[in-house]
Amino acid sequence: MKIFLSEKTKMDRSDSTIGSSSDEYHSIYPDEPLKVVPFVRILWIDNSGIHRRRVIPKERLAFVKEHGIGLSPACLAALSSVSNAPAEDSGLNYTGMIRIIPHLSTRCRIPWEKKQEMCLADMVTKPGNPWEYCPREVFRKVSKLLKDEFDLVVNAGFEIEFYLLKSVMRNGKEDWVPIDKTSYCSTSTFDVASSILEDINTHLQTMNISVEQLHAETGKGQFEIVLGYAEAGTAIASLIYAREVIRSVARQHGLLATFVPKFAEDEDGSGSHVHISLSRNGDNVFIASGESKYGMSKIGEAFMAGVLNHLPAILAFTATHPLSYERMLPKTRNAAYLCWGKENTEAPLRTSPPGIADDLVSHFEIKAFDACANPYLGLASITMAGIDGLRKDLRLPEPVEGDSDVSGEKLRSVPDSISESLIALAEDTLFTEVMSENLLTAIKAIRKMEVKNYCEPERDYSQPEMDVYKDPLQDSIFKF
């Protein structure tokens, strides 16, 4: 659960709170001068949600900042989660050269590798010319549109759900199993993972990434870390770096962290639920300032109504792998029906007013978002839908209370597959305002390739040797 209050937040530039200045760095590492850094990792997230990187010697950073590093277009925007070949019909290949430019406002020291730094990358055709496929540039365009038309800024906070797995040998073969088998919020589960979670929290604090809470989730060996509330660009950078921290700390403890949307058939899935509010001049304007039917302002309601209206197409950006739809099933608190609710965990969009008086709500939550999504494109699609709601002054339908599929409501289901979400995207022309046809073509091709990779060969759950899948976010095989 997130808590969004109306405190003022720095809004002037994306990614502004990530990393540290030279003075801040020396206060954290007083005995380690900057010159000892041999490597800088330059990260980008591709259209399958994979964290990718190039590494350069520190002394080349100034040159690379000006001129970039050359990569083929397919490497940056056309690979699926299980193939190094560009997706068929993506329109991209290994011909030509695109450059990645490190964005130094996101630069930070790597806590678990104290002689290395990392930063996020922009994609350009040449220095000064953004590439139409660059997810960060798409997000900037949408954010500028919201600011220019309505003087608003999106603020966000992410929940990170993941499983911690340990290696065991079964019949001479390595298998990965959860580190614990106890239940939701179990104290013993937290005790088992306490040292790991302490290390994660310490590293995140070092990187100026705030954590609101940590706890054991519903799955066996599953945990959730709730990140602090920030301007959306900063929130995305925090999400990316937090996943890097979680993976690395787990590895140091001899474990494997997986964020895959559905780790096991009989366990709950893992999402990256995102909480959204709107600010103007640093003040939360999602909250109603007077009488309100739902506890939110007219601005907040219009924005949220736009997101609900375009949600089927949004899923093409936020639920991008077949396993994403294995997670979103009825009675799993994971957004199976097209509705919204007040404190209704079955609804894909919900409001909740923790700590807010008079039934006012400070934000809303979107549950149909997971780690296979590119977070920049995911939030860009959500923001664009909200802009459409503001332009049309849309209103929300009545909220659905209780379990969606037994409440007596005749509710439309959200898309239950990538194919359905792609049909919805093809029918929804809104996103072409900020995303080029070329980018949308590549995204559709990658989604289709994910389906092909997932469905061939066809699974037969009665045959143990077929009862495996490849985690799209790791180089490992897990039971399903």
Side-chain angles (χ1 to χ4, degrees), residues 53-70:
R53 72 168 68 102
R54 281 293 182 96
V55 181
I56 61 171
K58 172 67 178 295
E59 58 267 22
R60 293 200 72 236
L61 182 58
F63 177 87
V64 172
K65 169 60 180 171
E66 182 177 355
H67 300 285
I69 296 175

Side-chain angles (χ1 to χ4, degrees), residues 44 54 67-77 91-101 122-127 129-133:
W44 71 93
R54 281 293 182 96
H67 300 285
I69 296 175
L71 288 168
S72 70
C75 289
L76 293 172
L92 295 172
N93 52 45
Y94 293 121
T95 302
M97 194 68 70
I98 302 300
R99 312 199 78 78
I100 56 172
I101 302 285
D122 292 323
M123 303 174 187
V124 300
T125 56
K126 61 181 180 179
N129 288 357
W131 192 36
E132 61 182 309
Y133 295 84

